[in-house]
Amino acid sequence: MESILIADDHPLTREALASLLSQHGFDVVGQASDGQEAIVEAGKLRPRLVLLDLTMPGMDGLSALPHIREASPESEVVVLTASGTDENLLEAVRAGAAGYLLKSEPPERIALFLRGVAHGEAALSGSIARRLLDRVREGGRMGGVPDEVAQKLSAREVEVLLLLDEHLGTEEIAARLYISEHTVRSHVKSLLRKLGVSSRREALERLHTAR
């Protein structure tokens, strides 16, 4: 059973999410009403997952996110928001978010996404994933990636590939993305398979020859 901390400034939303996730087999170990409280509770409870509302009074989710990662490095943080702007999306990914979900997602899909994150996957609502890949292809803050490569990979796999291109090792990528080395290796294995190559060197050759 995966432990989870819910941070949202609306009590009814927190209770609804807690009930939903409990019904889907999650252990809701705590709740927080703002970013500062989320940091404290994450450090104290060390949950496997933190579901973090992006917009809260006081310290918002985006500002709190890197501090939560510092307080509980083993926790995966998933941002939950009513609307995803391009800038907030990229900022959240850069700050270490393992997922970025819209509140309009059906409850069952939210639970499914979170379970995937707990097992090392990235979680992005469909429209959010599309927007992120569009920004990546356009040469946004994450750097340009050719269509034939970007279309085959998840958003997190694109980030790992770009960090490999910066000559970072597994440990350095894990630190940069606030994920475990095991998760980095899983992403590398997945992107190699999707690109049809057998080594990191071949993956980077594919990246550069496609540009």
Side-chain angles (χ1 to χ4, degrees):
M1 183 178 290
E2 306 294 350
S3 59
I4 186 166
L5 167 68
I6 300 171
D8 193 293
D9 61 311
H10 296 290
L12 290 178
T13 300
R14 291 199 307 272
E15 290 301 329
L17 286 169
S19 176
L20 162 72
L21 295 174
S22 294
Q23 291 172 20
H24 282 80
F26 291 87
D27 179 18
V28 181
V29 295
Q31 299 184 22
S33 60
D34 59 34
Q36 189 60 53
E37 188 177 359
I39 296 168
V40 173
E41 291 300 303
K44 180 173 63 176
L45 299 170
R46 299 297 181 96
R48 182 71 184 87
L49 300 165
V50 177
L51 186 57
L52 181 68
D53 183 27
L54 190 65
T55 55
M56 294 182 285
M59 178 181 279
D60 61 26
L62 195 56
S63 300
L65 206 163
H67 300 290
I68 292 173
R69 299 290 294 139
E70 288 180 15
S72 183
E74 63 270 35
S75 299
E76 295 285 10
V77 182
V78 176
V79 172
L80 189 64
T81 181
S83 64
T85 64
D86 290 354
E87 195 60 31
N88 282 343
L89 167 60
L90 292 172
E91 287 292 335
V93 171
R94 278 301 187 195
Y100 198 108
L101 303 179
L102 294 174
K103 289 184 176 180
S104 57
E105 286 284 357
E108 293 74 17
R109 280 186 62 80
I110 290 177
L112 183 63
F113 275 132
L114 290 173
R115 189 163 287 111
V117 170
H119 291 85
E121 300 173 8
L124 293 169
S125 291
S127 60
I128 295 292
R130 175 82 268 160
R131 193 175 303 139
L132 176 59
L133 288 180
D134 286 344
R135 284 292 299 272
V136 169
R137 292 181 192 132
E138 290 166 7
R141 292 178 54 188
M142 290 173 64
V145 173
D147 279 2
E148 67 178 77
V149 172
Q151 288 175 348
K152 297 177 180 179
L153 306 179
S154 71
R156 183 65 93 180
E157 288 163 356
V158 167
E159 269 214 308
V160 170
L161 180 60
L162 290 174
L163 292 175
L164 288 173
D165 195 37
E166 293 180 20
H167 308 292
L168 298 186
T170 299
E171 183 178 353
E172 294 169 303
I173 294 174
R176 180 78 67 88
L177 297 180
Y178 296 97
I179 58 180
S180 69
E181 293 181 37
H182 172 75
T183 300
V184 172
R185 285 189 285 270
S186 294
H187 287 316
V188 170
K189 182 178 179 180
S190 177
L191 72 86
L192 293 180
R193 175 179 54 78
K194 291 178 180 179
L195 294 177
V197 297
S198 57
S199 69
R200 300 183 181 198
R201 179 181 57 78
E202 290 179 3
L204 294 178
E205 287 176 356
R206 176 69 61 84
L207 175 66
H208 289 286
T209 57
R211 282 177 172 168

